[in-house]
Amino acid sequence: QSVINTIYCAKEQGLYTLLKPHVWISNSWPGEVDMPTDQHWDLFFDYYFQWISHYALLAEMYEVDVLCIGVEFSIATLGQERQWRDLIDKLRKIYSGNITYAANWGDEFEQITFWDQLDFIGLNCYYPLSNKNKSNQIELEQGFMSVLEKISKVKSKYNKPLLITEIGFRSVDSPWMSPHEEAGNKTFNEEDQATAYSAVFKALEQKPVIDGIFWWKWPTNLEPGYWPDRRFIPYDKKSQQVIGHWFKTRASTARKK
């Protein structure tokens, strides 16, 4: 019910909707899912289809703009291409909208071979922007420009629109060094988070190679959180102002065109 309500509220606000179900694994992540035999892989994909088809049906019923059929299954995607192609075929019989897959940054994103069968290439983009503890915005912009070069190569190869299905930075010191990492013992720092956000937007202004961006993450529950909040959430931090500025700028430019 909460998913349906969120879709409804998003559409009411004129937002573009992406339904992106995640498989959460305790003390691990989907990229480590592996099976010992082909028979085990067959069983895995049978169960996975039963699970994801439920969300495909929800996406069809409530007219979601894009369905994401998986998130960061790097061993499964790079080693089981046929299974994913079969899965895509079956899901298209349920859901008539656009389909994508959210690949992990690095090898998975750059080596997946079934992008041709999807409507959008999808990237969970946590490439480092700099290896320096102290970096200015110009350096970070240059770092993300290098990331955009990698993105451009994949996009050009398959000639498909590309969505950044996740990108974000924690509100901690130097979040651009390893954006995907836990906060650990890092100090709260909303200035560094906002600087990283600004660098991404500025680089995209110079090299607009993507077709959409989904920031990780913005919870539907907007009640004040604990403080200091070192999570990825930009809400009620300086990064929120950055997002507001750039999305308004982009919307204004689009209207003029």
Side-chain angles (χ1 to χ4, degrees):
Q1 289 178 341
S2 63
V3 171
I4 294 169
N5 183 66
T6 301
I7 294 168
Y8 173 80
C9 291
K11 284 185 167 293
E12 197 173 44
Q13 296 295 322
L15 295 174
Y16 192 79
T17 51
L18 167 71
L19 181 57
K20 182 165 161 279
H22 288 222
V23 173
W24 294 107
I25 303 172
S26 178
N27 299 318
S28 182
W29 66 298
E32 293 182 349
V33 170
D34 200 359
M35 299 293 144
T37 67
D38 289 341
Q39 289 74 23
H40 285 87
W41 275 118
D42 289 341
L43 189 60
F44 170 81
F45 278 96
D46 284 345
Y47 281 118
Y48 191 81
F49 173 71
Q50 292 178 42
W51 177 73
I52 196 67
S53 62
H54 165 73
Y55 293 99
L57 182 60
L58 282 181
E60 179 69 14
M61 291 171 64
Y62 297 97
E63 299 180 341
V64 170
D65 294 301
V66 186
L67 172 67
C68 183
I69 64 170
V71 180
E72 298 180 0
F73 284 101
S74 55
I75 292 176
T77 53
L78 298 183
Q80 302 294 322
E81 177 186 354
R82 179 188 60 80
Q83 295 274 21
W84 286 97
R85 289 190 180 276
D86 291 346
L87 178 70
I88 294 165
D89 286 339
K90 290 192 290 187
L91 290 175
R92 288 201 184 277
K93 296 176 183 177
I94 301 171
Y95 174 66
S96 60
N98 292 312
I99 293 179
T100 190
Y101 170 84
N104 191 44
W105 62 280
D107 288 346
E108 186 187 21
F109 167 67
E110 295 166 27
Q111 296 177 20
I112 279 180
T113 53
F114 55 81
W115 290 129
D116 61 298
Q117 202 169 339
L118 298 170
D119 300 293
F120 295 107
I121 297 169
L123 167 62
N124 284 3
C125 188
Y126 295 101
Y127 287 97
L129 306 189
S130 171
N131 60 5
K132 297 180 181 178
N133 284 314
K134 299 296 182 183
S135 282
N136 58 43
Q137 185 172 321
I138 293 176
E139 291 173 328
L140 297 180
E141 287 172 25
Q142 292 171 343
F144 196 66
M145 290 291 281
S146 297
V147 173
L148 292 176
E149 289 296 329
K150 299 178 188 292
I151 291 174
S152 294
K153 289 179 182 178
V154 176
K155 182 177 179 179
S156 298
K157 180 178 179 180
Y158 291 95
N159 193 29
K160 294 277 186 177
L162 187 144
L163 301 176
I164 293 183
T165 43
E166 277 186 35
I167 187 172
F169 303 91
R170 288 183 176 274
S171 44
V172 296
D173 289 339
S174 313
W176 49 76
M177 293 180 67
S178 298
H180 66 288
E181 284 187 349
E182 297 292 332
N185 59 1
K186 293 180 181 178
T187 304
F188 171 78
N189 190 328
E190 63 176 316
E191 292 282 356
D192 279 5
Q193 182 190 39
T195 300
Y197 270 70
S198 296
V200 168
F201 278 116
K202 190 66 178 177
L204 287 173
E205 182 183 47
Q206 300 172 63
K207 191 176 179 64
V209 300
I210 69 165
D211 299 276
I213 185 168
F214 292 87
W215 287 96
W216 182 267
K217 59 183 175 178
W218 194 293
T220 54
N221 178 4
L222 297 182
E223 294 296 322
Y226 49 80
W227 199 259
D229 181 358
R230 299 181 301 155
R231 295 175 293 174
F232 286 92
I233 296 168
Y235 173 67
D236 205 25
K237 300 174 188 173
K238 292 182 178 180
S239 298
Q240 180 177 354
Q241 300 171 20
V242 175
I243 293 173
H245 166 73
W246 283 99
F247 270 62
K248 287 176 183 175
T249 300
R250 179 60 181 157
S252 177
T253 302
R255 283 195 295 270
K256 289 177 182 177
K257 290 181 179 180

mmCIF file of all heavy atoms in Angstrom, residues 11 28 49 52-53 58 60 90 128 132 192 205 234:
data_model
loop_
_atom_site.group_PDB
_atom_site.id
_atom_site.type_symbol
_atom_site.label_atom_id
_atom_site.label_comp_id
_atom_site.label_asym_id
_atom_site.label_seq_id
_atom_site.Cartn_x
_atom_site.Cartn_y
_atom_site.Cartn_z
ATOM 1 N N LYS A 11 2.979 11.170 -8.816
ATOM 2 C CA LYS A 11 2.306 11.583 -10.047
ATOM 3 C C LYS A 11 1.481 12.844 -9.824
ATOM 4 O O LYS A 11 1.380 13.696 -10.711
ATOM 5 C CB LYS A 11 1.432 10.441 -10.565
ATOM 6 C CG LYS A 11 2.244 9.330 -11.235
ATOM 7 C CD LYS A 11 1.342 8.280 -11.840
ATOM 8 C CE LYS A 11 2.128 7.373 -12.769
ATOM 9 N NZ LYS A 11 2.609 8.074 -13.982
ATOM 10 N N SER A 28 25.750 -8.060 3.382
ATOM 11 C CA SER A 28 26.251 -8.323 2.039
ATOM 12 C C SER A 28 25.525 -7.397 1.076
ATOM 13 O O SER A 28 24.914 -6.413 1.482
ATOM 14 C CB SER A 28 26.014 -9.803 1.673
ATOM 15 O OG SER A 28 26.534 -10.081 0.394
ATOM 16 N N PHE A 49 11.738 -14.261 -10.587
ATOM 17 C CA PHE A 49 10.631 -13.842 -11.445
ATOM 18 C C PHE A 49 9.338 -13.748 -10.651
ATOM 19 O O PHE A 49 8.552 -12.803 -10.843
ATOM 20 C CB PHE A 49 10.447 -14.815 -12.613
ATOM 21 C CG PHE A 49 9.217 -14.512 -13.434
ATOM 22 C CD1 PHE A 49 9.157 -13.389 -14.244
ATOM 23 C CD2 PHE A 49 8.092 -15.338 -13.369
ATOM 24 C CE1 PHE A 49 8.019 -13.090 -14.986
ATOM 25 C CE2 PHE A 49 6.956 -15.044 -14.104
ATOM 26 C CZ PHE A 49 6.917 -13.923 -14.916
ATOM 27 N N ILE A 52 9.736 -10.336 -8.712
ATOM 28 C CA ILE A 52 9.747 -9.096 -9.490
ATOM 29 C C ILE A 52 8.483 -8.940 -10.325
ATOM 30 O O ILE A 52 8.069 -7.817 -10.634
ATOM 31 C CB ILE A 52 11.009 -9.018 -10.388
ATOM 32 C CG1 ILE A 52 11.237 -7.577 -10.897
ATOM 33 C CG2 ILE A 52 10.943 -10.001 -11.545
ATOM 34 C CD1 ILE A 52 11.596 -6.586 -9.830
ATOM 35 N N SER A 53 7.817 -10.034 -10.678
ATOM 36 C CA SER A 53 6.591 -9.929 -11.477
ATOM 37 C C SER A 53 5.484 -9.238 -10.691
ATOM 38 O O SER A 53 4.607 -8.587 -11.271
ATOM 39 C CB SER A 53 6.130 -11.311 -11.949
ATOM 40 O OG SER A 53 5.818 -12.149 -10.858
ATOM 41 N N LEU A 58 2.273 -4.162 -10.454
ATOM 42 C CA LEU A 58 1.981 -2.870 -9.827
ATOM 43 C C LEU A 58 2.336 -1.719 -10.774
ATOM 44 O O LEU A 58 1.575 -0.749 -10.899
ATOM 45 C CB LEU A 58 2.785 -2.706 -8.533
ATOM 46 C CG LEU A 58 2.298 -3.433 -7.285
ATOM 47 C CD1 LEU A 58 3.221 -3.107 -6.111
ATOM 48 C CD2 LEU A 58 0.871 -3.043 -6.941
ATOM 49 N N GLU A 60 2.406 -1.724 -13.986
ATOM 50 C CA GLU A 60 1.429 -1.666 -15.067
ATOM 51 C C GLU A 60 0.109 -1.080 -14.596
ATOM 52 O O GLU A 60 -0.481 -0.209 -15.254
ATOM 53 C CB GLU A 60 1.215 -3.082 -15.629
ATOM 54 C CG GLU A 60 0.203 -3.163 -16.761
ATOM 55 C CD GLU A 60 0.671 -2.500 -18.051
ATOM 56 O OE1 GLU A 60 1.881 -2.200 -18.171
ATOM 57 O OE2 GLU A 60 -0.180 -2.285 -18.942
ATOM 58 N N LYS A 90 9.777 -12.158 -20.361
ATOM 59 C CA LYS A 90 8.602 -12.515 -19.557
ATOM 60 C C LYS A 90 7.974 -11.282 -18.903
ATOM 61 O O LYS A 90 6.744 -11.164 -18.837
ATOM 62 C CB LYS A 90 8.979 -13.551 -18.500
ATOM 63 C CG LYS A 90 9.297 -14.922 -19.069
ATOM 64 C CD LYS A 90 9.382 -15.995 -18.004
ATOM 65 C CE LYS A 90 10.595 -15.848 -17.136
ATOM 66 N NZ LYS A 90 10.755 -17.003 -16.210
ATOM 67 N N PRO A 128 34.342 7.299 -7.743
ATOM 68 C CA PRO A 128 35.007 8.389 -7.010
ATOM 69 C C PRO A 128 35.238 9.593 -7.913
ATOM 70 O O PRO A 128 35.514 9.446 -9.100
ATOM 71 C CB PRO A 128 36.343 7.755 -6.585
ATOM 72 C CG PRO A 128 36.110 6.278 -6.635
ATOM 73 C CD PRO A 128 35.129 6.058 -7.759
ATOM 74 N N LYS A 132 41.544 12.890 -3.225
ATOM 75 C CA LYS A 132 42.083 13.847 -2.250
ATOM 76 C C LYS A 132 41.077 14.096 -1.126
ATOM 77 O O LYS A 132 39.873 14.239 -1.374
ATOM 78 C CB LYS A 132 42.385 15.184 -2.931
ATOM 79 C CG LYS A 132 43.452 15.126 -4.003
ATOM 80 C CD LYS A 132 43.652 16.520 -4.603
ATOM 81 C CE LYS A 132 44.688 16.516 -5.708
ATOM 82 N NZ LYS A 132 44.826 17.880 -6.306
ATOM 83 N N ASP A 192 30.755 19.619 2.421
ATOM 84 C CA ASP A 192 31.388 18.731 1.442
ATOM 85 C C ASP A 192 30.343 17.997 0.619
ATOM 86 O O ASP A 192 30.525 17.783 -0.590
ATOM 87 C CB ASP A 192 32.294 17.718 2.159
ATOM 88 C CG ASP A 192 33.658 18.311 2.519
ATOM 89 O OD1 ASP A 192 33.851 19.515 2.292
ATOM 90 O OD2 ASP A 192 34.510 17.559 3.036
ATOM 91 N N GLU A 205 26.007 20.108 -16.852
ATOM 92 C CA GLU A 205 25.684 21.280 -17.663
ATOM 93 C C GLU A 205 26.658 21.376 -18.850
ATOM 94 O O GLU A 205 26.257 21.719 -19.961
ATOM 95 C CB GLU A 205 25.771 22.541 -16.807
ATOM 96 C CG GLU A 205 25.413 23.805 -17.564
ATOM 97 C CD GLU A 205 25.576 25.051 -16.714
ATOM 98 O OE1 GLU A 205 26.630 25.197 -16.052
ATOM 99 O OE2 GLU A 205 24.662 25.893 -16.708
ATOM 100 N N PRO A 234 19.713 14.383 1.388
ATOM 101 C CA PRO A 234 19.998 15.814 1.270
ATOM 102 C C PRO A 234 18.939 16.701 1.929
ATOM 103 O O PRO A 234 19.143 17.903 2.080
ATOM 104 C CB PRO A 234 20.004 16.034 -0.249
ATOM 105 C CG PRO A 234 19.036 15.027 -0.763
ATOM 106 C CD PRO A 234 19.140 13.831 0.148
#
